Amino acid sequence: MSNLDRQAVPSVCGGRGFVVAEPVRELLSPRRVSLGESTEVRRLLPNLGRRMVGAWAFVDHYGPDDIADEPGMQVPPHPHMGLQTVSWLHEGEVLHRDSTGSLQTIRPRELGLMTSGRAISHSEESPRPHARLLHGAQLWVALPDAHRHVDPHFQHHADLPTVTAPGLTATVILGDLDGAESPGTAYTPLVGADLALARGTETRLPLRPDWEYAVLAMSGEAHVDGVPVLPGSMLYLGCGRTDLPLRAESDAGLMLLGGEPFEEEIVMWWNFVGRSGEEIVQAREGWMKGTRFGEVHGYDGGRLPAPELPPVALKPRGRVR
Ligand code: MN
């Protein structure tokens, strides 16, 4: 998915100054962002008070939307740099095309993992015909400096490892959880896991005290460390936990996001992650001139133009909290 926010505000993220060393329960409200005419997403990251969780730098939750009589998701070709995109669906399907030639339908509980490396472009659309409901999350992972210029590539994994406990199935989307490791390539120590909880479940999920974590609520009524978390909101949990108490009042769907605190300071603007304002300016120019991000074939429609750059300099900086 593209950041279609008309006011693309630069966001400076990363660095130890943002990380909370001890366990906290910080409820993050979503910002509602329109995608096209009919779709609205709830943006959890970056958030006013919180920019990253480990290397996770962007989280949108959307749906469930009834798109039976609508085109559904139609995101024209747009570029990415310095990040990975993770597509995760609970309902519906998304047809992914990219400039490396990928053409892949992503279905519920399958990993669509696109590593932009230095440059990629892609489009995402609801196929025709498509299921009535569309419900999912779009997430970005910042690439560390040592790997941010890798060759762009796309991975699709329909068969992901799970960790189970009575009433809980945790599907490991990216990284590792309790010894189970996703086949998707990760470039920093992290985890993204889908937590399916049956009504009445009370359990504890093992965590690593040196990582920071957050939980995104997708559906149902769940309590995370005693805090009721409504669908479309996210609870930031800080570091220093060996496990996480979960309780489900109804069948519930959550996403656990976590990882080693991301030490590098990054500059994030529109669909790009860089290390300086200059890199962002060059990336924007490369997209607008059509010289850098390749071509997406087969999408019925034009490319997405980049928004105007803000008049202020884009600089990475340290502590903002
Ligand atoms: Mn995208």
Side-chain angles (χ1 to χ4, degrees), residues 27-306:
L27 194 58
L28 303 178
S29 298
R31 191 160 65 87
R32 289 168 195 283
V33 180
S34 295
L35 292 188
E37 286 170 17
S38 59
T39 318
E40 186 186 79
V41 304
R42 291 165 292 280
R43 180 150 307 152
L44 284 314
L45 283 184
N47 201 293
L48 206 55
R50 175 111 344 245
R51 306 289 173 79
M52 293 180 84
V53 178
W56 298 96
F58 182 96
V59 177
D60 270 357
H61 173 239
Y62 56 90
D65 291 321
D66 186 336
I67 58 166
D69 303 316
E70 300 192 37
M73 183 185 289
Q74 299 295 328
V75 185
H78 61 276
H80 285 291
M81 167 180 89
L83 55 83
Q84 294 175 291
T85 66
V86 172
S87 302
W88 189 250
L89 290 169
H90 275 187
E91 305 203 64
E93 57 281 291
V94 170
L95 179 60
H96 166 95
R97 306 172 194 268
D98 68 43
S99 53
T100 71
S102 309
L103 177 64
Q104 179 67 53
T105 302
I106 301 159
R107 296 192 165 78
R109 293 170 204 282
E110 298 178 355
L111 170 63
L113 175 64
M114 185 179 79
T115 302
S116 77
R118 60 182 172 274
I120 200 168
S121 55
H122 73 145
S123 64
E124 294 152 292
E125 63 198 284
S126 296
R128 278 167 256 183
H130 53 248
R132 168 174 286 271
L133 293 178
L134 180 63
H135 182 201
Q138 173 75 16
L139 310 101
W140 298 353
V141 179
L143 290 170
D145 194 48
H147 297 290
R148 66 193 183 100
H149 303 293
V150 297
D151 291 338
H153 59 277
F154 180 78
Q155 295 170 279
H156 174 250
H157 294 284
D159 195 14
L160 296 168
T162 57
V163 173
T164 58
L168 167 70
T169 300
T171 304
V172 187
I173 301 166
L174 191 63
D176 64 278
L177 176 69
D178 198 25
E181 195 176 350
S182 164
T185 306
Y187 292 90
T188 51
L190 54 67
V191 63
D194 184 278
L195 312 177
L197 292 153
R199 189 170 83 98
T201 299
E202 252 194 285
T203 189
R204 298 179 89 90
L205 194 67
L207 301 184
R208 297 176 49 140
D210 52 332
W211 288 9
E212 61 176 340
Y213 292 91
V215 168
L216 167 69
M218 300 272 290
S219 62
E221 292 175 51
H223 291 218
V224 177
D225 195 16
V227 179
V229 184
L230 294 173
S233 60
M234 193 160 88
L235 187 69
Y236 177 71
L237 296 160
C239 302
R241 293 169 183 272
T242 53
D243 62 8
L244 181 63
L246 300 171
R247 195 173 90 231
E249 307 291 317
S250 68
D251 288 355
L254 306 172
M255 282 184 86
L256 175 74
L257 304 173
E260 191 177 273
F262 196 81
E263 301 269 359
E264 299 169 28
E265 292 182 350
I266 63 175
V267 180
M268 196 163 112
W269 180 80
W270 194 40
N271 297 314
F272 305 133
V273 169
R275 295 297 183 277
S276 68
E278 193 176 32
E279 282 183 14
I280 300 289
V281 170
Q282 286 169 1
R284 183 186 184 280
E285 195 173 288
W287 173 246
M288 294 307 280
K289 287 184 174 167
T291 53
R292 174 163 164 186
F293 291 90
E295 270 206 62
V296 179
H297 296 287
Y299 184 81
D300 184 15
R303 293 154 34 108
L304 202 63

